[in-house]
Amino acid sequence: MTERPPTIWMNVTTSVNWQRPPVGIVRVERSLNTELGKLYGARFRQCVWQDGQFVEWVPRVKNQTTDDTRQDNHAFPKQQEKPVLPPIFPTLPKRQALIAIAQGLLSLMPRRLQPQFNRLLYALRPRVVRILTNDRIRRLLGRIREKTSVNSDSLSSTVPLRSDESTPFAVGDVLISVGLDWDYSYYKEFYALRKQQGVKVVTCCYDLIPVLYPQYCVNDVAGIFTSYFLEVADGSDLVLCISKQSEKDLNAMLDRTGGPRPPTLVFPLGDNVPLASDEKISSEVMAVCRERFILFVSTIERRKNHEVLYRAYHLLCKQGKRLDLPKLVFVGMQGWGVGELLKDIELDQQTRDLIVRLNHVSDTELRVLYEESLFCVFPSLYEGWGLPVGEALSMGKAVICSDRGSLPEVGGDLVRYAEPWNPQVWAEEIYRMATDDIWRRQWELRAKEQYRVRTWIDAACAVKEGIKGFEDHVK
């Protein structure tokens, strides 16, 4: 009798709950899900996080009734509801209390001793897990739950998962989770899945922006994400990284904080823009395509640095060059911290009607915009990868790009780099690319001849090879 090959599970919680046009991480999860399904066939299954546990997810067919579809849309919460703490010292679940004590001790220690103490905590963690999963302790906790009606989700975070009916996974199965994991509580179960059930857990590090550049993020996320990455590192058999820069940043953070160092794998994101379909093109997109324009594809948020493009256009208009300028098209939803910038653009008489925003763009429309654009720009202050740069190059477009983060990994020597804080430099680069046709065509030709398009099947094959390889040397 031959041993059953492990089932490959894809956590699609983010995709199932996502109700808006897909952002980069959602596209990664959905694209990998599609291609890994083709590679693994019957061995591949999907799961979601529901009511404090993973359950198998079977997509509904498209021709079901409206009532079924409506029910499906509300079957799972959009994200894990964040608890509101009551005033004065609230009573915590035991696991949270232990974490709070350890965190307090760690915070009170001299900084030079913190990494060593953190390593000690990680070394003691398996013993704590064994104590909490002891049959007597579990029965005691069960009696306490019956008497005090403890919330079931709090209990599930106190007692790690075991190999029983509460989870669809079998020993040796592989769980791949590459979505917006920090928005849900399931990432705290990864360690228990590994240690108590023998599941191989594969996660993804997109970037460490909240840790490295908290000023670009809303609220106090640096502490949250540091804790998140430490939990994920401790609960992963393999961490996928979307660039060498992300891998370097992750390992540096883990070394600095004394966290564990799981195996990592840099894998390529697909940058092949989906082929155009028969889908109708909106009147807004058609209007844009009737004129000369340059394209910036990105959520409109502070880190993406739309401001330097606005300031560059303002400078060029003040210099009397407005008539030479193509339209500047921002494709993406509005994010955090850009309200004043968008108001400036709206009221600026110099640049009025030169800067256009498109919020809801389909894959077909995006391809049309890439095809019809004069060239593309990407002035981001930091990126874990920079997918729009690869997409533009894959379409044979000239690109002016920031030189920060992982962007040089994407563009190599095929793009024009500009310092992201300098609007004058961006003004000069944009004006030359817009008015010197020979110059622009040289960069287009280099992209068409030298850029190697990365496909999502390439990404899926790299992940599959990583899963095959790490099973031989992880615990």
Side-chain angles (χ1 to χ4, degrees):
M1 183 175 177
T2 60
E3 186 177 345
R4 179 190 70 86
T7 298
I8 310 299
W9 292 89
M10 187 77 179
N11 177 12
V12 293
T13 304
T14 296
S15 296
V16 168
N17 295 322
W18 194 257
Q19 302 295 326
R20 295 176 290 166
V23 295
I25 292 177
V26 179
R27 291 168 64 190
V28 172
E29 182 179 279
R30 291 178 178 176
S31 299
L32 279 180
N33 182 58
T34 298
E35 300 303 333
L36 287 172
K38 297 175 184 176
L39 291 176
Y40 284 106
R43 289 179 56 199
F44 186 79
R45 295 160 78 177
Q46 300 168 81
C47 63
V48 294
W49 182 253
Q50 182 188 17
D51 298 329
Q53 63 183 2
F54 282 109
V55 296
E56 184 170 4
W57 168 256
V58 180
R60 295 179 183 271
V61 294
K62 293 183 178 180
N63 61 355
Q64 283 186 306
T65 65
T66 304
D67 289 341
D68 286 342
T69 303
R70 186 181 296 113
Q71 181 180 1
D72 180 54
N73 287 339
H74 296 278
F76 304 100
K78 288 186 178 180
Q79 64 177 20
Q80 192 74 18
E81 188 173 334
K82 297 180 180 178
V84 179
L85 293 177
I88 315 299
F89 308 101
T91 302
L92 297 174
K94 290 179 176 57
R95 181 177 185 274
Q96 294 182 27
L98 289 171
I99 291 174
I101 293 171
Q103 185 177 10
L105 291 173
L106 184 63
S107 301
L108 292 171
M109 280 196 163
R111 186 175 296 275
R112 67 179 185 278
L113 298 179
Q114 288 179 358
Q116 292 87 340
F117 184 68
N118 204 32
R119 290 189 181 93
L120 175 63
L121 291 177
Y122 274 106
L124 292 175
R125 182 172 179 171
R127 298 183 182 181
V128 176
V129 170
R130 284 197 296 270
I131 293 172
L132 290 175
T133 54
N134 179 274
D135 288 339
R136 292 183 179 178
I137 298 297
R138 294 178 76 243
R139 286 195 295 270
L140 175 61
L141 290 174
R143 288 195 294 271
I144 294 174
R145 176 174 58 177
E146 292 174 0
K147 292 181 179 180
T148 60
S149 300
V150 176
N151 179 274
S152 61
D153 188 60
S154 297
L155 184 64
S156 69
S157 65
T158 302
V159 182
L161 295 171
R162 296 175 67 88
S163 183
D164 54 30
E165 295 82 4
S166 66
T167 169
F169 313 127
V171 174
D173 282 357
V174 177
L175 173 63
I176 303 172
S177 191
V178 297
L180 297 164
D181 292 357
W182 50 89
D183 275 350
Y184 300 87
S185 63
Y186 56 68
Y187 73 84
K188 297 179 181 179
E189 304 294 343
F190 289 161
Y191 181 85
L193 283 172
R194 291 182 60 219
K195 296 298 184 180
Q196 297 302 309
Q197 197 171 328
V199 176
K200 304 296 185 182
V201 178
V202 180
T203 57
C204 185
C205 173
Y206 288 94
D207 58 64
L208 270 75
I209 291 166
V211 177
L212 300 175
Y213 303 101
Q215 67 270 29
Y216 300 148
C217 305
V218 65
N219 298 327
D220 182 21
V221 297
I224 296 172
F225 268 78
T226 298
S227 174
Y228 162 75
F229 281 117
L230 287 171
E231 288 268 10
V232 167
D234 205 29
S236 300
D237 293 287
L238 177 68
V239 178
L240 304 172
C241 298
I242 63 172
S243 66
K244 294 178 181 177
Q245 183 69 49
S246 293
E247 182 182 50
K248 176 182 176 182
D249 291 343
L250 175 64
N251 287 331
M253 188 276 284
L254 295 175
D255 286 343
R256 185 174 65 253
T257 58
R261 282 282 297 268
T264 55
L265 170 70
V266 177
F267 76 110
L269 295 184
D271 52 30
N272 53 307
V273 182
L275 295 174
S277 66
D278 295 332
E279 180 182 357
K280 185 178 179 181
I281 306 298
S282 71
S283 58
E284 280 187 299
V285 172
M286 291 179 65
V288 165
C289 291
R290 282 194 285 266
E291 302 184 68
R292 297 168 74 246
F293 69 94
I294 66 178
L295 185 64
F296 182 18
V297 178
S298 169
T299 301
I300 304 174
E301 61 182 46
R302 292 179 62 199
R303 173 176 58 89
K304 300 296 186 176
N305 200 22
H306 292 71
E307 183 172 352
V308 77
L309 298 179
Y310 158 61
R311 293 187 179 279
Y313 258 54
H314 181 88
L315 288 173
L316 290 169
C317 289
K318 286 189 67 175
Q319 295 169 8
K321 298 176 180 178
R322 178 186 170 97
L323 295 179
D324 296 327
L325 294 178
K327 292 286 181 70
L328 173 58
V329 178
F330 294 161
V331 172
M333 296 182 297
Q334 180 177 340
W336 170 79
V338 294
E340 292 184 2
L341 169 64
L342 296 179
K343 180 59 69 174
D344 288 345
I345 293 173
E346 177 186 341
L347 298 177
D348 193 332
Q349 297 298 315
Q350 297 281 353
T351 61
R352 181 178 290 277
D353 300 325
L354 271 179
I355 301 176
V356 179
R357 289 171 54 199
L358 297 174
N359 293 326
H360 299 283
V361 172
S362 68
D363 286 344
T364 296
E365 290 172 332
L366 181 60
R367 185 177 183 90
V368 170
L369 288 167
Y370 272 123
E371 290 174 339
E372 298 299 324
S373 65
L374 197 63
F375 58 93
C376 296
V377 289
F378 201 79
S380 177
L381 298 170
Y382 184 90
E383 290 293 320
W385 178 243
L387 191 56
V389 174
E391 290 179 337
L393 291 171
S394 74
M395 298 293 292
K397 292 296 174 177
V399 179
I400 305 173
C401 176
S402 163
D403 59 357
R404 300 301 170 86
S406 64
L407 293 174
E409 288 184 54
V410 186
D413 59 357
L414 302 180
V415 306
R416 289 287 297 175
Y417 292 103
E419 207 282 322
W421 291 106
N422 194 327
Q424 182 60 48
V425 170
W426 278 89
E428 293 168 359
E429 292 288 347
I430 288 172
Y431 189 75
R432 182 177 185 184
M433 195 71 78
T435 58
D436 189 336
D437 293 344
I438 295 177
W439 173 252
R440 185 177 65 255
R441 286 168 186 158
Q442 288 176 351
W443 287 99
E444 291 174 348
L445 185 62
R446 292 178 68 177
K448 292 174 181 176
E449 291 183 345
Q450 300 180 35
Y451 187 73
R452 179 188 175 276
V453 178
R454 303 171 176 92
T455 66
W456 285 109
I457 190 62
D458 293 334
C461 287
V463 172
K464 182 179 180 182
E465 188 64 25
I467 292 173
K468 179 182 177 182
F470 83 77
E471 287 181 306
D472 296 333
H473 63 266
V474 298
K475 295 181 181 179

